[in-house]
Amino acid sequence: MMSLEMESCDRGQAAEVPRVPKSARGKRSVRKKEAQSQVMCAFDLLATVAGKLLDEGEGSAGAPALTACAKDVRVKQEQCNEEREHLKNEVTDQDSCNESAILPHVVFQHSMNHARNEYPKAKSEDQDKESSMISSTKAELSSNFRAIADLWSPESVEAGDAVASPMPTAAGGFHKNAPDMYNLLDPMDVDMKPPPLVSSDSTGEMPRGLKGVAGYSVDRDDDDDDKSSGCTTHPSTTANRDFRPNCTAEHSRVRKLLTCKYRNAAPPRMHKSDLSYSDVERKPSFRNKKMHYTRQRTQRSTFKRRKLFDRHTVLASEFGRANGKGNTKVTKRDSHAAFLKANKGTESMPSQKSGASNDCHVKLKIKSFKVPELLVEIPENATVGSLKKTVLEAVNAILGGGLCVGVLHHGKKVRDDSKTLMQAGIGQDDVLDNLGFSLEPNCTHNPLQVQPPEDTSFMETIDITEPLARIAPADSSCKHGEIDVSHELAVTPLTMNYQGSDHDSVHSPDKVYRNSRALVPVPAADPDAGAIVPVNKSKRSPEQGQRRIRRPFSVAEVEALVLAVEKLGTGRWRDVKLRAFDNAKHRTYVDLKDKWKTLVHTASISPQQRRGEPVPQELLDRVLAAQAYWSQQQAKLQPKTPPLTEARLLT
DNA sequence: CTTAGGG
DNA sequence: CCCTAAG
């Protein structure tokens, strides 16, 4: 996965070609994207847990919570069983999971023996590629960079044909900017990541770097789940490591399978009533996945078939769309009691909270907590009991480390525990709308991450999410995974992108968080959404068409987009996606195209009319320049009309 | 599956 | 963002 993009840089020239017949481009088959990703399913354990907590209320923190969770899990499992059938058809793919959940995705592989066996095979191709890439990556980075710069330099432009080179006019700018792009990447990917952690595993590390190199990656948000491919991660646990690869392979496979399923299984048009929650994100996800897997079509098909034959059970807890994702919902005015109760069960809600505002008590009712998504894959022949056990283990692993509650206000994490609610700006009234809670896996450090502003837009209810750590546990190794995870979490505060790799599962906390962002924006659409927990049942058919949650482009993303378009031109959105947003699973080429469209529009209107985060004028100028340049190029390619125009003018 | 556009 | 027609 990683890096192929780089190559494009090298071969920049080729890239420049405005458009190549599809056939020619087709070669991209080489595209590497492999199979990364893991499949994850979302489990709304949290929600369940929450419910439990509320009900039982007991607990002080840790242990009780665990217990509760375990139970819930079980319950969930059962529910899952019921819905299994349903799910099978409606499997949510990772994206959906990702988006929705946020949390750590856990994948459990029960008897994945075959997975192991398969792994080598499945990954071999990619691996080779990767390894080679990896080895060369860093070294190449600089060279590539240079190459790019050269490419863009005036000279090269001159030398080359206009057509071949990227916007001449912009050349200077590119040149200049190129570095920025990389910087952008690096800082996040490289810098943030704690070298030590990854270092042990070169494999793990590289992915990130490569990614960064390859394309800008701004995806902190990650959806990542996909990132599975990178394997990585915790040096610490050997077991995990071993496990991971397998997981990855499996995940990939599963994903693919899922994807296939979608296609095959999903009726073109389902009745709303028939739809399952998963439907909601399905579409989007599907698309994304496709992208990633495009290169492996062949394999994919195979997988597809496979899936049909051997079906594993996949449980997804969260189906729901974004809404579902939710997290915990707090109802505005509820009883204080409820709040406390919840609090009690879980953690610590800020005692201050209640206490802080002397005069005004902030009343929150937490209806449910969302649990991290878990993906469980086990053979059909596995017993229900084993399934339950697996899930239970996973949950315990997650919770075992203890949970911490994070408080989000207006999308930002409130880190200072000593602040009073008032000081934190959490007022009575606005609280509900702007306050969010998150459950985090053992937070010793407390790393927090700030959620993207976008997330902020929540709904009236407060969502609490919990990014639990992702567990990477595999069957037996679950526990270890958990430990590691927590560790990782603690350690890696700001990471962005990812860590990772795809491979696994381990996301940094941040990442998790970001994912979690998903939690945030749950569309209010369904009333049920709040209920989240219910994985099932009922009502929820509406999901199907759910619209993807809005994820405004950040300036960094815009820059990456501009950069890519400057180089590739308009009309090659897939390439743009691959080049600059390969890691951003939630950005499809269509999204990029649309964004470009809006950017062009934005650049044309007065600053006062613009909304959202202001995009630097410089970027907008580049947008216009690039747009003009590429439009012209396009026109040249089809000189039919141009001549006429010209002639006319002349005449 | 990708593009390109309209909604 | 979504939906679709085209290719």
Side-chain angles (χ1 to χ4, degrees), chain A residues 8 16 21 122 139 158 183 243 256 268 301 304 341 352 358 393 396 407 466 490 582 584 590 624 631:
Chain A
S8 47
E16 314 308 279
E158 250 180 276
N183 288 335
F243 166 71
K256 289 178 182 179
S301 58
K304 219 179 208 172
K341 201 171 185 181
Q352 319 164 349
N358 305 339
E393 285 182 304
N396 284 332
V407 176
E466 63 177 41
D582 201 17
V590 174
L624 291 177
S631 295

Side-chain angles (χ1 to χ4, degrees), chain A residues 26 79 96 150 164 175 240 253 367 420 438 448 495 534 554 561 570 579 582 600 645 649:
Chain A
Q79 292 179 340
S96 59
D150 291 342
H175 197 100
N240 285 339
R253 192 171 106 246
K367 292 182 176 180
T420 62
S438 62
L448 301 147
T495 316
S554 64
L561 176 60
T570 52
R579 182 189 180 79
D582 201 17
V600 171
T645 306
L649 291 175

Side-chain angles (χ1 to χ4, degrees), chain A residues 292-508:
Chain A
H292 292 286
Y293 297 106
T294 305
R295 295 170 193 174
Q296 309 178 357
R297 289 179 188 176
T298 305
Q299 270 191 1
R300 216 195 282 168
S301 58
T302 303
F303 284 106
K304 219 179 208 172
R305 259 183 275 132
R306 238 221 201 131
K307 185 172 188 174
L308 295 177
F309 294 117
D310 65 45
R311 356 177 113 194
H312 292 283
T313 305
V314 177
L315 300 176
S317 62
E318 192 160 296
F319 324 74
R321 29 160 346 53
N323 297 347
K325 304 181 166 193
N327 321 238
T328 308
K329 285 228 162 179
V330 179
T331 303
K332 277 184 176 181
R333 2 192 112 196
D334 292 7
S335 52
H336 198 315
F339 174 82
L340 294 177
K341 201 171 185 181
N343 192 356
K344 196 180 181 180
T346 336
E347 25 250 357
S348 54
M349 274 225 25
S351 45
Q352 319 164 349
K353 280 200 162 181
S354 30
S357 38
N358 305 339
D359 309 351
C360 312
H361 287 264
V362 176
K363 298 179 182 183
L364 302 174
K365 179 179 182 178
I366 297 174
K367 292 182 176 180
S368 61
F369 282 87
K370 184 171 185 175
V371 184
E373 299 181 72
L374 298 176
L375 177 91
V376 178
E377 181 171 353
I378 62 176
E380 277 188 301
N381 58 6
T383 64
V384 173
S386 64
L387 205 181
K388 290 179 179 179
K389 185 179 179 182
T390 302
V391 175
L392 178 61
E393 285 182 304
V395 175
N396 284 332
I398 295 173
L399 300 176
L403 291 174
C404 286
V405 171
V407 176
L408 296 162
H409 189 223
H410 288 285
K412 291 190 178 180
K413 227 174 177 180
V414 179
R415 306 184 184 197
D416 188 344
D417 291 341
S418 60
K419 271 187 186 175
T420 62
L421 290 178
M422 196 179 287
Q423 292 175 321
I426 299 172
Q428 326 66 303
D429 289 309
D430 81 311
V431 176
L432 306 174
D433 296 329
N434 305 305
L435 190 59
F437 296 96
S438 62
L439 293 180
E440 303 166 7
N442 103 46
C443 35
T444 310
H445 289 339
N446 117 349
L448 301 147
Q449 324 76 2
V450 179
Q451 287 201 334
E454 321 147 18
D455 297 351
T456 313
S457 54
F458 302 58
M459 8 232 60
E460 316 70 279
T461 50
I462 298 175
D463 296 343
I464 296 178
T465 312
E466 63 177 41
L468 290 181
R470 45 237 309 19
I471 315 179
D475 351 281
S476 44
S477 38
C478 295
K479 292 178 181 181
H480 296 290
E482 116 193 12
I483 294 173
D484 288 343
V485 171
S486 53
H487 190 53
E488 191 174 359
L489 292 177
V491 178
T492 350
L494 294 179
T495 316
M496 17 203 11
N497 310 291
Y498 59 150
Q499 8 258 323
S501 28
D502 324 349
H503 280 319
D504 63 345
S505 30
V506 183
H507 305 13
S508 65

Side-chain angles (χ1 to χ4, degrees), chain A residues 19-58:
Chain A
R19 276 188 179 187
V20 182
K22 224 170 186 182
S23 57
R25 281 188 284 152
K27 287 145 188 195
R28 279 183 201 176
S29 40
V30 184
R31 291 168 185 170
K32 46 168 189 206
K33 244 354 277 280
E34 70 319 311
Q36 40 181 36
S37 9
Q38 1 177 331
V39 179
M40 359 218 64
C41 279
F43 241 46
D44 263 282
L45 296 179
L46 194 44
T48 308
V49 172
K52 191 128 206 176
L53 291 174
L54 289 173
D55 294 344
E56 300 188 5
E58 49 237 4

